[in-house]
Amino acid sequence: MASILIVDDDDMMRTSISDIISHMGHFADTAENLKEGLQMTSANRYDVVFLDVWMPDGNGLDALPKFKSSQGKPEIIIITGMGDADGAELAIKSGAWDYIEKGGSVKDMSLSLTRALEYREQKEAKKPRMVLKTENIIGESPAIKQCLDMMAQAASSDKNVLITGETAVYRKRTVCPSHS
């Protein structure tokens, strides 16, 4: 499940996109202006940001680099009611994943989001995995190996991790030769 932020001053547009995202099985947050959107991206990690161009407190294309460089480095999908070729070119050159005109089909919006998320998955899969020092860890069971593998994967992200399970007690045993 991905986390998506919708930054748009149009309440109906935020609701429509949020419904599409929820229907796809993802989580959606919304912001009604650039300032609120930037505050949310500094406090939360998003995979994708839907960003409107014409906002009451500025131009989304001007704010695009700030959103792009926020924590999680989200993919940006520009949404606009007044699209033009120059705006689309500027958006893509500034690092936007896609440029969509409002009023387009649900299929177009869903497809753009799906492709952006697939691209992020591929990008994440190519990141080098963290190597853990395991020489002082006792145990070689498949469960321990799986736990260590998950820890190595989590170590390369900015996510919090909680490891739970039973506490094992290790006691060094001394074997005495039997007396005959």
Side-chain angles (χ1 to χ4, degrees), residues 59-130:
N59 185 311
L61 292 177
D62 294 338
L64 191 151
K66 291 178 185 174
F67 281 97
K68 186 85 176 144
S69 65
S70 65
Q71 77 167 297
K73 310 259 186 272
E75 301 307 321
I76 311 295
I77 298 174
I78 297 294
I79 50 175
T80 183
M82 295 176 259
D84 62 64
D86 292 337
E89 182 180 356
L90 177 63
I92 301 303
K93 283 184 177 179
S94 297
W97 171 257
D98 203 354
Y99 186 91
I100 300 173
E101 287 190 46
K102 291 180 180 179
S105 71
V106 170
K107 181 181 174 184
D108 290 341
M109 193 128 348
S110 301
L111 184 60
S112 182
L113 177 58
T114 299
R115 287 182 176 162
L117 292 172
E118 286 173 353
Y119 171 76
R120 280 182 73 80
E121 274 184 35
Q122 290 173 356
K123 197 165 65 170
E124 290 292 320
K126 290 180 182 176
K127 281 187 178 177
R129 301 241 339 237
M130 183 75 68

